Amino acid sequence: MLKSFSKTLLGAAFVGGAFMPHAFAETSINALFMAQAAYSEADVRAMAEAFTKANPDIKVNLEFVPYEGLHDKTVLAQGSGGGYDVVLFDVIWPAEYASNKVLVDVSSRITDDMKKGVLPGAWTTVNYDGKSYGMPWILDTKYLFYNKEILEKAGIKNPPKTWEELAEQAKIIKDKGILATPISWSWSQAEAAICDYTTLVSAYGGEFLKDGKPAFQSGGGLDALNYMVTSYTSGLTNPNSKEFLEEDVRKVFQNGEAAFALNWTYMYNMANDPKDSKVAGKVGVVPAPGVAGKSEVSAVNGSMGLGITTASKHPEEAWKFITFMTSQETQNQYAKLSLPIWASSYDDPAVTKGQEELIAAAKLGLAAMYPRPTTPKYQELSTALQQAIQESLLGQAKPEDALKGAAENSGL
């Protein structure tokens, strides 16, 4: 009875006939994560439980939304004056979040050990205009996954090194009747399609912006979309790719229905799990290919960070949680789903064991990560490009016309 009575008095404790402040008054913080790719919901919950065990005075309320709802949920919560203390954010949002004062500048909280220990490229995830708006957490790019057994059946000795070779190998597989549509992509009218498009833009040496204005409607940006359309109309690409997100691609690949697939790191260990995958033990991974005379490999920066919102009433506790989640110890423990941001982790056998092939691809892919455009108007630009890609795939517009339209509707 006394216990429940003390709780009703906001953590007061009855000591020696007088009420005293409770030594373990609990602070609650709200954290927003995504329910797809990279770390699973169960893993994030396990990490948060470990944090609470180490910090019993802080309770973490977790909320998960699909990636597609993450941005709007964060922004709308700010406007309502309530919401979240900690939010997961994509590499494409710091410009907007900094300009609109959504995230707190945490530059002064980042220690020298953090600066030295984290891979240099990872900081681009959270930095804007010389300031840091969080800690990098998910270090990721898209890789080319391939089914070793299917390539062997087709008499193909090595995975493709160029996008042209990928099309040639897919045609061999199709012509031999091994698979009707050998390539799977995530080209739904969503950010996923922009990540695939950016990978190709990087391969073709394209630019999104020049002097702050759209430049993707010619050169490498146009070459990239032409490649997508050709791959789709030739029948080499699974026709459902135009509706696929990354999880759809993973399921198709795991079912043995794709010889090639572009996807994030997390697919490697999931597709190699015999409990859920028909292709376990047959999964190959290499960096996304390049273009002869222009690039060796290609990669999109698909990293994400954890930040404190300006609406948070508990920034100290929020930062404590962020530093725990992004710590080397936590990241090494869950390195099978997302590779660590810490440079020395890649020399740790506990991290590399069983995923040596992925680490080898990551060393090349992560070094070549190409950014999506850094602009406070990113959401408008992305929406315009998503529409242009869909129109082109469906034959409603020629790629050059679709991209010109996207440039005009980009808000830039």
Side-chain angles (χ1 to χ4, degrees):
M1 180 68 185
L2 181 61
K3 199 172 178 186
S4 61
F5 183 56
S6 69
K7 274 186 184 172
T8 62
L9 290 175
L10 298 175
F14 193 77
V15 180
F19 283 102
M20 303 287 288
H22 199 294
F24 295 103
E26 197 177 71
T27 300
S28 279
I29 59 170
N30 299 320
L32 182 66
F33 289 88
M34 69 171 178
Q36 70 194 64
Y39 302 113
S40 71
E41 187 173 325
D43 287 321
V44 175
R45 289 193 186 282
M47 291 176 204
E49 276 172 32
F51 170 78
T52 305
K53 202 173 174 185
N55 300 273
D57 54 334
I58 304 172
K59 183 187 176 196
V60 184
N61 301 312
L62 299 172
E63 188 177 337
F64 296 85
V65 292
Y67 170 86
E68 288 71 31
L70 198 54
H71 171 275
D72 290 356
K73 193 98 173 162
T74 300
V75 174
L76 289 169
Q78 288 287 108
S80 68
Y84 309 101
D85 299 280
V86 174
V87 290
L88 178 66
F89 61 92
D90 202 343
V91 63
I92 51 185
W93 299 330
E96 179 196 342
Y97 284 3
S99 305
N100 297 331
K101 297 186 169 47
V102 173
L103 291 179
V104 173
D105 171 7
V106 294
S107 307
S108 60
R109 294 179 182 267
I110 292 167
T111 65
D112 285 343
D113 283 348
M114 288 171 176
K115 284 175 191 166
K116 286 176 199 160
V118 172
L119 289 159
W123 289 112
T124 62
T125 311
V126 298
N127 289 354
Y128 177 67
D129 206 16
K131 294 172 182 172
S132 297
Y133 290 90
M135 276 293 287
W137 188 47
I138 296 168
L139 183 64
D140 214 350
T141 190
K142 283 197 162 185
Y143 299 94
L144 181 69
F145 293 87
Y146 64 98
N147 184 313
K148 292 179 177 179
E149 187 178 58
I150 290 173
L151 263 64
E152 206 176 302
K153 268 188 195 168
I156 298 165
K157 291 193 173 144
N158 296 302
K161 290 205 165 158
T162 66
W163 287 106
E164 192 184 0
E165 266 183 40
L166 173 69
E168 287 164 3
Q169 291 188 5
K171 191 170 186 314
I172 292 168
I173 292 162
K174 185 180 174 73
D175 290 349
K176 289 192 172 182
I178 300 166
L179 274 181
T181 54
I183 316 169
S184 193
W185 313 76
S186 37
W187 288 349
S188 174
Q189 196 165 331
E191 191 60 32
I194 303 300
C195 293
D196 284 11
Y197 174 65
T198 303
T199 306
L200 287 159
V201 170
S202 86
Y204 281 101
E207 286 182 289
F208 278 104
L209 304 175
K210 197 166 187 175
D211 303 323
K213 295 292 174 195
F216 51 76
Q217 62 273 41
S218 61
L222 179 56
D223 292 341
L225 186 52
N226 276 326
Y227 183 89
M228 292 168 81
V229 171
T230 302
S231 183
Y232 187 78
T233 56
S234 66
L236 297 175
T237 279
N238 186 320
N240 295 320
S241 291
K242 68 181 185 301
E243 286 124 32
F244 281 171
L245 293 171
E246 291 92 341
E247 275 292 80
D248 303 304
V249 170
R250 176 177 72 84
K251 286 166 188 167
V252 166
F253 185 81
Q254 281 186 195
N255 219 26
E257 294 164 9
F260 301 104
L262 203 66
N263 215 334
W264 307 106
T265 308
Y266 84 108
M267 187 164 99
Y268 183 71
N269 283 293
M270 291 189 87
N272 265 319
D273 183 350
K275 286 201 295 281
D276 297 315
S277 174
K278 292 181 181 175
V279 300
K282 303 165 190 169
V283 181
V285 62
V286 287
V291 168
K294 291 190 177 175
S295 57
E296 296 288 320
V297 298
S298 53
V300 56
N301 189 343
S303 304
M304 301 184 86
L306 291 172
I308 306 168
T309 69
T310 52
S312 173
K313 293 181 177 63
H314 306 291
E316 297 305 320
E317 290 85 353
W319 184 247
K320 210 173 197 182
F321 179 60
I322 287 170
T323 52
F324 178 89
M325 296 294 275
T326 59
S327 69
Q328 189 164 17
E329 188 184 349
T330 301
Q331 288 222 306
N332 284 3
Q333 199 180 336
Y334 293 91
K336 294 283 187 277
L337 287 172
S338 186
L339 294 174
I341 58 172
W342 302 91
S344 61
S345 293
Y346 293 84
D347 301 319
D348 182 344
V351 169
T352 58
K353 194 174 181 213
Q355 51 181 11
E356 292 83 359
E357 204 175 329
L358 176 64
I359 301 283
K363 282 182 177 170
L364 295 169
L366 295 175
M369 287 196 300
Y370 191 82
R372 284 163 282 169
T374 304
T375 167
K377 292 192 170 176
Y378 181 80
Q379 290 304 109
E380 289 169 64
L381 174 58
S382 175
T383 302
L385 273 170
Q386 289 169 32
Q387 193 175 333
I389 291 167
Q390 277 288 311
E391 286 173 357
S392 302
L393 292 175
L394 296 170
Q396 294 167 351
K398 288 181 180 174
E400 51 267 43
D401 295 333
L403 290 177
K404 275 180 197 160
E408 286 163 15
N409 297 323
S410 65
L412 295 169

